[in-house]
Amino acid sequence: MKLLIADDEPAVRALVHVTLEGDDYEILEAADGVEALEVARGEAPRLVLLDIMMPRLDGLEVCRQLKADPDTSDIVVVMLTAQAQERDRDQGLAAGADDYFTKPFSPLALLNMVERVRHNQSGAD
Amino acid sequence: MRRLRVQLTVLLALLGMLVLAWGAAIFLGARDAARSSASIQSSVDRVDELRQAATGLSREFVAMETSRRAYLLTGDRASRDARARAEVRAVEGFKRVSALSERWRNLPPLVSDVAAEYRAWVRTGQTELKARRRGAAAAALVASRGNADKHFRQLWALQARLEDQLARSQYSYARNQDRTYATAQALAVRTALMMLAALVLLAVWLRRAVGAPADALRSASGRLAGGDLETPVTLDVDNELGAVASDLETMRRRLAGRMEALERLRHLSAQVVGATSLQRLTEVALAGLQPEVGATRAILGAARPGGDLVLRALAGFPDSGVADDIVKADAEIRHVLPVGSLRAGQVVGLADLDEVAATTALHELVGKMGVRSLALVPLLSRGRFLGLLALCWTERHQLDREQEALLGLAGNQIAGALEAALRLEEAERAAGEARAVFYAIADGVLLTDPFGRVTAMNRALEALTGWTETDARGRPYAEVLPIATDQVGGPADLVSRYGRRVPVAVSSAPIFDARGRVVGGVDVIRDVSREREIDEVKSALISTVSHELRTPLTLIHGFAELLVLRDMPVERQRSSAVEILDASRRLARLIDDLLSVSRMESGRLVLDPRPLDLASVVERILSPFRAMAAKHTLRTKLPGSLPVVWGDPDKVEQILTNLVGNAIKYSPGGGEVLVTVDQDGDTVQVSVRDQGIGMSPRDMGQLFEKFYRVDREEVRRTGGTGLGLYITKRLVEMHGGRLWAESWPGVGSVFRFTLPTTSDELAGSGR
């Protein structure tokens, strides 16, 4: 299963890498919003992990554009944010995100969530 | 002047004498008349007596003749005896007549004629009688001859003449009596006429000497009583009334003078009341008093609340520089002022200042002022000492009592005006202060009347609303100050005349007058855009700090969890531990920054400066960047020999690290980062140049402010606390240097700072 991690922080991308390592995931990376949109459109991943605070284009906008495009609206979007306020979560959900992780997050919880998505996909297939 | 009295006395005495004379005339006249009438009466009686005696005598003559003739005829004895008896009686009668006639001069000759005739008659009769005794014939003869008869007839005629004489005498006596009465009457009438004339004369004189002048005096006094002080009292009479008139005239002149002075005083009062400034008051007072007392200059001093006199105004002095001299001699003047008398309301005249100004300082002052005499007029209002008006004469001048009294009165008038002027001044000062505060205050202030119409607004509010005070005055409050609120209870925005919305905080209060009635309202409108901005900056900071804290925390948490719960190859475990270590460092640095700011702001950050080799510091901080930055080229340009700088090694390192770090961070496309060091006088200038995104001039303005971050997408999305440049600038300034930047959007930025050099030797080889 293809998934995309978009975060301007390389260490966070590394953490996701390490978390999902060895479970047959194809992990794509993007360092900013624009790159994230390009990769998502080009590679059509099943899941996108989106940081909200990113250079050039923030995660909320990326999410909105993905959900607005029929080609990409099926992609499961999970927001990753350092902002814990309710307002941010609501904004994320309003932008069409499917789930929400607040930093610091548990890598195992992320893994569970990703596997659930994969399971749903296989079930649906 | 006792003339009138003397004249009157003399006149009355004259009159009295006239009356006495009149009385005497009447009395004497009456007495004379009475007396003369009595004497006439007795004369008449005696004439009567004489006449009767004469008549009796005549009768005896007749009896003698008759008896003689009878005897002659008859020879009768009896006849002869009768005749002898008659003759005896005749002799007696004759004696009586002679005695009685003695009183009258003209009678005795007549009586002696009668007597002679009688004797002749008797003799002839005797002859005839003798003849008879011889016989009748002879008698007849003798008788025929008629001698006796003839004598008788002559005697009879004489007797008749006597009687006639007596009758005539009686008549003349009666006439005399009448004449005496008439004389007395005439005298009385004449005296009465003289008295009447005297009375008329007296009346005329009284009228002239007393009546007319008294009338003139009466009308003059009536005029005075009626308030006519213009018409002079003239009476050209040289007596007591004239003196009264001249006294009245003197009185009139004095009264008129007084009235005139009072009128001038009233005029002065009216003028000083109109004078609202102390300067004007002094000038008016001087102008009013100059014609009265001749003073040509005036100085006004007003008492301060503490009671000290302070020079407030001068008038009439050709050189206003005198004011400074007076102020300089303040202490000396205060020392010689007769404060006690002045406070008691007494006008004090100093006729010769040379005597008073004993000290040299005052002597000089008096010389400079060109004043010879002074009058100090205390200004008291309701017993309170308000100040002093000093009137000055350039020539010697001694106040007289009248001038002193006038100045005292004038002082009261001026004091009233002074009190009003001081109160006005105080009110104006207070109003001026209030106005100055009102217009200068940084917050917008709006004053309204009880109906909510604008009466005044200050400059700050003009700037805020776009209205000018002139335009806004009289308009309803809501028109000038429309407030828009997006949601109930939410922040209020003021909508300016041109539609700009400004976040404001409004506080309002009613304005009360002394009796507690609302006379208006005041609104203070505070532009809170800065506060709101700060709020926004703060919440952005919190979110930034939170993001910055959470990111390393996420890494630490995540990698640690993986290490604990997952089996990983040793290599992976190692790299995870490195990530945890890096994140911890990042966290520590962030906390350090925050602590630095906190310490700087509370003044607890202290430098530990020492001589420093800048070149080695630059090289040292660049090496970690060189290791990390793949896209950037880091170059240095250092002169051969650098002076030793004076700085805290740790802080200088922090400054350089921050600037180079920013240069790399804000040139995401890579490029060259050039660090240059130059000597510039006794400072060293370090510059860090990049080829990054650059900044607009607008961003540059707030570049070094705390928590400020350039509001651009690229920047916002780049992690940062907004503290780096703030800390850097503060550190440079703590070293006595300066930090500034030049930038061109899309081209790059140069940050430059200076550090002071020192002549000290390096302590060892640095670090």
Side-chain angles (χ1 to χ4, degrees):
Chain A
M1 186 180 97
K2 256 191 223 175
L3 64 86
L4 168 65
I5 166 71
D7 197 313
D8 59 332
E9 201 63 57
V12 175
R13 300 201 296 271
L15 178 63
V16 173
H17 243 286
V18 174
T19 305
L20 302 176
E21 212 168 32
D23 282 333
D24 196 17
Y25 289 106
E26 189 184 339
I27 298 168
L28 308 166
E29 289 186 22
D32 61 52
V34 175
E35 204 182 329
L37 264 182
E38 279 170 12
V39 174
R41 281 172 183 152
E43 302 286 336
R46 180 73 198 102
L47 177 72
V48 178
L49 293 171
L50 268 178
D51 183 28
I52 288 182
M53 267 196 168
M54 276 192 301
R56 293 167 76 183
L57 199 61
D58 74 20
L60 292 172
E61 189 54 36
V62 173
C63 176
R64 228 171 268 130
Q65 293 199 14
L66 288 177
K67 289 298 178 186
D69 185 349
D71 293 346
T72 54
S73 62
D74 286 346
I75 300 173
V76 176
V77 177
V78 176
M79 307 302 293
L80 282 181
T81 179
Q83 292 169 343
Q85 279 100 342
E86 293 249 315
R87 192 165 57 96
D88 295 324
R89 204 192 63 201
D90 294 348
Q91 276 181 355
L93 297 178
D98 296 280
D99 207 345
Y100 193 89
F101 275 79
T102 302
K103 292 175 181 179
F105 57 90
S106 163
L108 295 182
L110 177 70
L111 183 63
N112 284 340
M113 186 274 292
V114 171
E115 284 187 341
R116 216 165 47 236
V117 170
R118 183 161 72 171
H119 182 73
N120 285 354
Q121 185 194 31
S122 17
D125 289 346
Chain B
M1 188 60 93
R2 310 177 71 82
R3 212 183 142 113
L4 187 65
R5 196 191 174 110
V6 171
Q7 284 175 335
L8 257 178
T9 314
V10 167
L11 266 173
L12 283 174
L14 271 173
L15 195 63
M17 279 163 70
L18 267 174
V19 169
L20 271 175
W22 183 59
I26 289 172
F27 172 75
L28 289 176
R31 200 188 60 180
D32 282 357
R35 252 196 218 149
S36 73
S37 99
S39 85
I40 288 168
Q41 192 59 50
S42 78
S43 299
V44 169
D45 286 348
R46 269 190 296 259
V47 171
D48 258 0
E49 202 181 354
L50 189 55
R51 272 182 75 184
Q52 275 167 19
T55 311
L57 190 56
S58 298
R59 210 166 39 242
E60 294 309 322
F61 286 164
V62 173
M64 278 171 70
E65 187 64 15
T66 312
S67 23
R68 187 192 60 98
R69 284 192 186 175
Y71 178 69
L72 283 179
L73 284 172
T74 61
D76 181 6
R77 245 197 121 83
S79 295
R80 208 185 62 179
D81 288 350
R83 189 200 154 263
R85 283 191 307 271
E87 192 182 354
V88 170
R89 287 196 306 266
V91 167
E92 272 173 19
F94 213 81
K95 274 181 188 160
R96 214 170 146 231
V97 168
S98 293
L100 286 172
S101 67
E102 287 294 305
R103 291 180 58 92
W104 289 276
R105 243 183 320 121
N106 56 342
L107 288 185
L110 193 58
V111 172
S112 30
D113 282 350
V114 172
E117 201 50 53
Y118 170 71
R119 273 185 307 265
W121 176 57
V122 169
R123 207 177 45 244
T124 55
Q126 287 290 357
T127 313
E128 282 182 21
L129 284 177
K130 279 167 192 169
R132 181 56 191 113
R133 268 178 320 244
R134 274 169 289 143
L141 182 68
V142 170
S144 64
R145 265 183 36 211
N147 270 346
D149 286 358
K150 188 184 86 192
H151 282 293
F152 180 74
R153 276 191 308 271
Q154 277 175 347
L155 179 64
W156 191 251
L158 277 174
Q159 187 69 16
R161 263 182 66 200
L162 178 67
E163 277 181 27
D164 181 55
Q165 185 73 40
L166 283 175
R168 262 208 308 271
S169 280
Q170 208 164 9
Y171 171 74
S172 101
Y173 278 124
R175 273 193 52 197
N176 271 349
Q177 196 167 8
D178 278 357
R179 203 177 297 128
T180 307
Y181 277 123
T183 309
Q185 223 169 11
L187 182 66
V189 167
R190 267 202 299 279
T191 320
L193 279 174
M194 269 170 70
M195 218 167 65
L196 199 66
L199 275 174
V200 167
L201 273 174
L202 185 67
V204 167
W205 179 83
L206 274 176
R207 173 94 196 96
R208 244 199 81 233
V210 180
D215 281 353
L217 278 181
R218 171 72 192 91
S219 79
S221 71
R223 281 201 307 273
L224 284 182
D228 174 13
L229 296 175
E230 305 300 314
T231 318
V233 181
T234 51
L235 189 61
D236 196 14
V237 178
D238 188 18
N239 58 20
E240 283 94 329
L241 292 177
V244 168
S246 90
D247 284 354
L248 266 181
E249 169 65 8
T250 310
M251 193 171 98
R252 181 196 69 81
R253 277 207 203 114
R254 291 184 81 133
L255 269 176
R258 272 289 168 80
M259 288 300 289
E260 215 173 295
L262 276 175
E263 178 59 28
R264 283 197 296 262
L265 208 61
R266 200 190 59 72
H267 188 65
L268 171 72
S269 167
Q271 278 199 315
V272 293
V273 162
T276 49
S277 80
L278 297 188
Q279 179 64 40
R280 181 88 191 106
L281 174 63
T282 313
E283 284 165 5
V284 169
L286 178 64
L289 290 173
Q290 190 166 355
E292 307 296 327
V293 295
T296 52
R297 294 164 189 187
I299 306 167
L300 180 74
R304 269 201 300 243
D308 285 345
L309 271 180
V310 187
L311 174 72
R312 294 306 304 267
L314 294 177
F317 283 94
D319 173 19
S320 59
V322 168
D324 293 335
D325 298 320
I326 294 174
V327 170
K328 264 182 230 151
D330 204 32
E332 283 90 349
I333 293 173
R334 214 170 283 161
H335 187 68
V336 297
L337 272 186
V339 180
S341 305
L342 292 173
R343 284 190 185 281
Q346 208 176 314
V347 176
V348 180
L350 302 172
D352 198 339
L353 278 180
D354 290 343
E355 292 167 13
V356 184
T359 70
T360 38
L362 284 185
H363 200 76
E364 268 177 38
L365 177 63
V366 166
K368 275 183 190 161
M369 286 164 67
V371 167
R372 186 74 199 277
S373 294
L374 264 186
L376 306 176
V377 182
L379 307 176
L380 283 95
S381 176
R382 282 162 289 170
R384 207 157 58 82
F385 182 71
L386 293 178
L388 170 68
L389 182 74
L391 291 172
C392 310
W393 287 261
T394 50
E395 302 299 325
R396 202 184 135 82
H397 179 86
Q398 181 87 46
L399 279 185
D400 60 26
R401 260 181 45 214
E402 213 158 306
Q403 288 179 342
E404 215 175 283
L406 179 85
L407 287 181
L409 282 174
N412 291 342
Q413 311 286 353
I414 296 166
L418 174 67
E419 191 175 30
L422 284 174
R423 212 177 289 144
L424 183 72
E425 192 184 68
E426 175 58 27
E428 274 178 354
R429 195 187 57 75
E433 279 176 5
R435 201 162 38 239
V437 169
F438 175 74
Y439 283 114
I441 206 162
D443 287 341
V445 183
L446 184 78
L447 297 178
T448 49
D449 64 13
F451 308 103
R453 286 183 302 241
V454 174
T455 55
M457 66 196 286
N458 69 352
R459 308 277 171 264
L461 193 60
E462 285 185 342
L464 213 55
T465 58
W467 285 88
T468 63
E469 189 180 20
T470 324
D471 287 350
R473 200 169 276 148
R475 287 177 190 268
Y477 169 92
E479 187 183 336
V480 177
L481 213 64
I483 300 285
T485 316
D486 288 336
Q487 61 205 78
V488 176
D493 282 354
L494 171 72
V495 183
S496 82
R497 200 176 184 179
Y498 309 110
R500 188 169 68 96
R501 286 179 70 139
V502 186
V504 290
V506 181
S507 57
S508 307
I511 303 173
F512 297 106
D513 69 3
R515 276 175 288 174
R517 286 182 313 193
V518 174
V519 293
V522 56
D523 295 272
V524 179
I525 298 99
R526 188 187 180 89
D527 177 357
V528 293
S529 44
R530 183 83 187 122
E531 280 92 331
R532 217 178 268 180
E533 213 169 272
I534 287 171
D535 274 354
E536 279 162 12
V537 166
K538 264 189 187 158
S539 71
L541 169 83
I542 288 166
S543 123
T544 307
V545 169
S546 150
H547 182 267
E548 290 297 301
L549 284 169
R550 277 167 190 273
T551 301
L553 205 58
T554 304
L555 298 172
I556 292 167
H557 182 110
F559 283 110
E561 193 178 303
L562 288 175
L563 280 173
V564 170
L565 299 176
R566 295 260 311 245
D567 290 332
M568 286 190 289
V570 176
E571 198 59 30
R572 182 57 78 198
Q573 286 179 5
R574 218 181 104 77
S575 74
S576 295
V578 168
E579 293 285 0
I580 290 173
L581 197 61
D582 281 351
S584 313
R585 284 201 190 113
R586 210 167 131 184
L587 211 51
R589 204 178 64 237
L590 181 65
I591 291 167
D592 277 351
D593 274 1
L594 288 169
L595 286 176
S596 289
V597 169
S598 163
R599 282 215 306 278
M600 276 175 185
E601 294 192 339
S602 61
R604 280 177 295 131
L605 185 73
V606 189
L607 292 185
D608 178 18
R610 63 193 68 177
L612 208 58
D613 175 16
L614 198 55
S616 67
V617 176
V618 170
E619 285 304 336
R620 192 165 58 242
I621 66 109
L622 281 181
S623 53
F625 287 114
R626 283 200 170 112
M628 275 165 45
K631 289 194 272 185
H632 298 85
T633 318
L634 279 74
R635 281 208 309 126
T636 58
K637 203 166 117 192
L638 307 173
S641 67
L642 261 183
V644 179
V645 299
W646 182 251
D648 182 323
D650 288 346
K651 304 298 183 279
V652 174
E653 231 172 76
Q654 197 180 341
I655 293 165
L656 277 165
T657 307
N658 279 344
L659 291 180
V660 174
N662 277 350
I664 292 169
K665 199 167 166 184
Y666 295 110
S667 49
E672 186 188 66
V673 175
L674 175 64
V675 180
T676 316
V677 180
D678 288 305
Q679 186 171 6
D680 181 11
D682 51 1
T683 59
V684 164
Q685 193 189 94
V686 183
S687 58
V688 179
R689 179 188 295 273
D690 66 47
Q691 298 174 334
I693 57 176
M695 292 170 288
S696 68
R698 184 175 153 269
D699 296 327
M700 303 272 291
Q702 290 167 292
L703 190 58
F704 298 104
E705 281 180 24
K706 194 169 44 173
F707 299 132
Y708 180 77
R709 299 195 66 213
V710 171
D711 190 15
R712 278 169 68 179
E713 204 64 25
E714 305 96 298
V715 177
R716 202 183 315 127
R717 295 309 164 202
T718 311
T721 55
L723 293 173
L725 277 177
Y726 173 72
I727 293 170
T728 306
K729 187 173 168 70
R730 291 289 296 256
L731 286 175
V732 170
E733 284 166 356
M734 282 172 79
H735 280 88
R738 213 156 63 79
L739 171 65
W740 71 100
E742 295 154 34
S743 189
W744 303 267
V747 176
S749 309
V750 190
F751 283 80
R752 297 178 205 276
F753 67 95
T754 60
L755 285 175
T757 58
T758 176
S759 53
D760 291 2
E761 291 300 311
L762 287 172
S765 60
R767 288 202 320 185

